Amino acid sequence: MSGYERVEELNIMKVIAETLNRCNDMTVMLQTVLEKLLELTKLNTGWVFLIDSPEEYVLAAHHGLPPALAWGEYEPMCSGDCYCLSRYRNGKLTHPVNIIECKRLNKAIQHEWGDTNGITHHATIPLGDGEESFGLLNVASPRKEKFSQEELTMLQSLGFQIGTAIRRTRLYQEERRRAESFEKLNQFAGFLWSADDFYDLQEILEKEGKKIFGWSSVACYIKNQMGTKPASALLEEVSVEETLAVIPIAREKVVQGGVWITPPKGSSFQPGDREFLIALGRHLTLVYESIVLKEKRQELLLHEERKRLARDLHDSVNQKLFSLSLTAKGAKEMVSKYDSSLGELMDDMLSMSQQSLKEMRSLIWQLRPVGLEEGLLSAMKKYGEHLGLCVQFDMERLPDWSRQAEETLWRIGQEAMNNVAKHANTREVTVRLFDTKEGAGMTVTDHGDGFLVEAGENRQTLGLISMKERAELLAGELSVRSEPGAGTTIEVFLPHRKERKGEHED
């Protein structure tokens, strides 16, 4: 190589380097540098294949392709196999080579796709940075059948420059994508933290997730709360595949649920998305914890409000009703001697005041169950006595349930005993309490009049609906078995909210 040729080669490499450094957009960079390379090397035609996997490649840039290879929006260049791709996939294409027979050109001639502009051969140069390969650069000119070793060596140097620029651009784009993802996450987190409950959280994940990130679909599952994903599908770590990301929601290192996300249509998750999705998982875990604490706080506030209302009713209305019953009784004794009809009215007034007083005391019991602080059994026994029922308990051991489970079983037991007192025509009730690994259970049985369950289902009372709703709030189940003359059994089962032994709600 003469000194002039050496200077010319160095000048080409300098111009190409400057061109590569001007742009961080992959498509624009490859197209620009390809056109500049062809201009400086006085070649007419070139194209670049980017190869992300052995099976897939994309025509990333092209210039001067003949009509035989350009028809149908470059269809001959976007599908099918060829000699250079085969060697690349087999790991045999590590240096620039002369392609004597191009499969694409041969097919174009065979099928008469159009004019090849005299192109019969091309050179193929691998694009890489010394550690990783990214694709192929192909260059050609009409009636040029061979590239000299000096030309191939220069093209190899240019291929290395382009490969290095591809890596730099991909790193830049990945970092930019990462920054954009975290910027969106910052915006998204504001919506997540506004969730009042788990159903709010699901709605925000779907609505705002699709709006901010363009996700195709989002599904959320929280144990004993919402969703349909089976527990076996839960993961302990973030899982990222091209078409699905799974983010676990954990509390105290125990997985409580998860979120399943599919990427925007026509897109896929990248390995670089994992860091951002892990950060999203941290937010979801903290939001989950916040909702749990918020629900506990609301339960405590509701409990305190019930106690306050019960105290106010006891100190005011209850006392006034008691005074009214005493007044009615005294008035009856005074007037019955002189007017029997007026005495009958006083009897009615006394009866109504006593009945109202009894109902008021039952209401106070429901608002503030005296004895529940001492345990479920004590509360149910005292409430049964209040209703005039004899309650027998059947249990193997004293269960250690959460306050929420005891409260729910207590409210259901209250309603069941009320129904016995009002409708069953019996004073005997058996309450069975049992505890399993899966949850807490209770049955309330009487041997009273009973009824047809099928007929009752068509006109369910408010009390039965209330009992079922209370059980379902804790992801539980409630059923009724009854037959005329054979009594009634209420069965309820509440699954444990915690899976680890010894962990209970406060």
Side-chain angles (χ1 to χ4, degrees):
M1 180 185 295
S2 66
Y4 172 78
E5 290 174 333
R6 181 59 179 167
V7 171
E8 185 67 17
E9 180 181 327
L10 292 173
N11 182 59
I12 291 173
M13 296 183 67
K14 175 177 177 294
V15 173
I16 293 298
E18 291 173 350
T19 304
L20 290 170
N21 289 330
R22 288 195 194 106
C23 185
N24 285 312
D25 182 280
M26 183 74 74
T27 303
V28 174
M29 179 195 75
L30 290 175
Q31 186 63 39
T32 303
V33 77
L34 176 62
E35 292 176 5
K36 180 61 68 175
L37 184 152
L38 294 175
E39 176 189 342
L40 294 172
T41 57
K42 298 179 175 57
L43 298 170
N44 293 77
T45 302
W47 61 95
V48 175
F49 288 137
L50 286 184
I51 306 170
D52 290 327
S53 70
E55 296 79 21
E56 298 180 0
Y57 68 93
V58 62
L59 180 64
H62 58 84
H63 181 75
L65 287 173
L69 299 178
W71 62 270
E73 296 184 355
Y74 307 97
E75 183 177 330
M77 306 298 293
C78 298
S79 61
D81 205 355
C82 61
Y83 181 67
C84 56
L85 284 175
S86 297
R87 291 197 65 182
Y88 178 90
R89 289 166 179 158
N90 293 333
K92 296 179 179 179
L93 209 164
T94 57
H95 295 84
V97 295
N98 280 296
I99 301 298
I100 299 174
E101 291 187 5
C102 175
K103 188 175 180 179
R104 298 178 198 276
L105 286 169
N106 288 342
K107 286 182 68 175
I109 295 170
Q110 179 184 352
H111 297 289
E112 298 181 350
W113 285 344
D115 193 354
T116 62
N117 290 350
I119 296 176
T120 57
H121 300 69
H122 66 79
T124 295
I125 304 96
L127 302 177
D129 63 350
E131 294 182 4
E132 186 177 358
S133 296
F134 306 107
L136 297 172
L137 165 67
N138 296 305
V139 292
S141 266
R143 291 167 292 280
K144 186 175 179 63
E145 298 183 357
K146 185 174 179 59
F147 288 82
S148 67
Q149 188 58 48
E150 288 78 9
E151 288 176 312
L152 293 176
T153 301
M154 182 187 69
L155 289 171
Q156 183 177 20
S157 299
L158 294 176
F160 180 81
Q161 279 187 306
I162 296 172
T164 303
I166 290 173
R167 173 179 282 276
R168 172 179 50 80
T169 303
R170 285 186 171 178
L171 289 173
Y172 170 80
Q173 291 177 340
E174 186 176 317
E175 188 61 28
R176 181 178 172 182
R177 176 188 172 103
R178 177 180 176 277
E180 289 175 351
S181 295
F182 275 94
E183 184 178 346
K184 290 178 180 179
L185 176 60
N186 186 49
Q187 178 187 357
F188 190 46
F191 291 103
L192 292 177
W193 281 98
S194 68
D196 290 324
D197 54 41
F198 295 116
Y199 294 95
D200 267 357
L201 180 62
Q202 166 77 359
E203 185 177 348
I204 290 169
L205 281 165
E206 289 184 356
K207 182 180 177 182
E208 301 303 331
K210 292 177 180 179
K211 184 187 299 183
I212 295 174
F213 296 100
W215 294 330
S216 296
S217 66
V218 184
C220 184
Y221 167 78
I222 303 293
K223 287 182 182 178
N224 301 332
Q225 292 287 343
M226 54 176 289
T228 57
K229 292 286 182 181
S232 59
L234 296 178
L235 303 176
E236 294 184 357
E237 295 182 354
V238 171
S239 171
V240 185
E241 299 176 0
E242 287 190 0
T243 57
L244 179 67
V246 183
I247 304 172
I249 298 175
R251 184 185 183 208
E252 297 175 357
K253 298 183 179 181
V254 178
V255 178
Q256 303 293 338
V259 176
W260 287 256
I261 303 171
T262 56
K265 290 182 179 179
S267 182
S268 62
F269 287 120
Q270 304 298 321
D273 290 327
R274 181 178 176 80
E275 184 181 359
F276 141 70
L277 292 168
I278 289 174
L280 173 57
R282 294 194 191 102
H283 276 286
L284 289 170
T285 294
L286 291 173
V287 170
Y288 171 88
E289 184 73 24
S290 175
I291 291 174
V292 170
L293 293 176
K294 190 182 297 183
E295 287 186 347
K296 283 186 177 182
R297 186 164 58 249
Q298 289 172 344
E299 288 172 8
L300 290 173
L301 290 173
L302 180 61
H303 185 66
E304 291 300 317
E305 182 63 17
R306 282 176 174 170
K307 287 168 63 177
R308 184 196 65 77
L309 183 57
R311 186 170 57 251
D312 291 346
L313 287 173
H314 181 271
D315 294 343
S316 59
V317 182
N318 184 63
Q319 295 299 331
K320 288 176 181 178
L321 284 173
F322 182 68
S323 298
L324 177 61
S325 68
L326 291 178
T327 302
K329 185 176 181 181
K332 173 193 170 185
E333 293 177 356
M334 293 176 61
V335 303
S336 59
K337 298 176 182 178
Y338 309 102
D339 189 335
S340 59
S341 60
L342 191 58
E344 291 176 0
L345 289 175
M346 290 296 104
D347 274 339
D348 291 340
M349 183 181 296
L350 176 61
S351 176
M352 289 174 63
S353 63
Q354 289 176 340
Q355 182 64 29
S356 297
L357 182 60
K358 184 177 181 181
E359 291 180 0
M360 176 59 65
R361 286 172 177 168
S362 293
L363 179 59
I364 292 172
W365 259 94
Q366 292 177 27
L367 287 171
R368 186 184 181 185
V370 178
L372 188 57
E373 293 83 354
E374 302 173 9
L376 179 61
L377 267 66
S378 177
M380 293 187 73
K381 184 177 181 180
K382 288 182 179 180
Y383 189 65
E385 291 173 354
H386 169 72
L387 295 175
L389 300 175
C390 178
V391 183
Q392 299 293 327
F393 290 98
D394 176 13
M395 55 188 303
E396 295 180 359
R397 62 185 180 86
L398 190 65
D400 182 18
W401 292 329
S402 69
R403 182 188 60 79
Q404 195 174 27
E406 282 200 356
E407 174 81 10
T408 299
L409 292 176
W410 157 247
R411 296 299 179 189
I412 292 173
Q414 263 188 314
E415 187 60 40
M417 287 191 288
N418 273 328
N419 289 339
V420 173
K422 290 179 181 179
H423 309 297
N425 195 26
T426 182
R427 294 297 166 187
E428 301 291 331
V429 179
T430 300
V431 177
R432 177 173 177 259
L433 299 170
F434 60 93
D435 188 26
T436 70
K437 292 181 180 179
E438 290 75 28
M442 178 179 73
T443 62
V444 181
T445 304
D446 70 75
H447 297 287
D449 291 344
F451 62 95
L452 285 174
V453 175
E454 292 77 8
E457 287 178 349
N458 296 325
R459 50 181 180 81
Q460 288 189 3
T461 65
L462 181 62
L464 184 56
I465 293 172
S466 173
M467 286 193 288
K468 286 190 173 183
E469 287 179 346
R470 287 185 183 278
E472 289 169 357
L473 280 174
L474 294 187
E477 296 179 353
L478 184 140
S479 62
V480 181
R481 291 189 288 108
S482 184
E483 291 182 11
T488 301
T489 297
I490 303 291
E491 297 180 331
V492 58
F493 185 79
L494 307 176
H496 287 315
R497 295 174 64 88
K498 292 284 187 180
E499 289 193 344
R500 293 191 300 182
K501 186 177 180 181
E503 290 189 295
H504 300 278
E505 301 282 2
D506 294 331

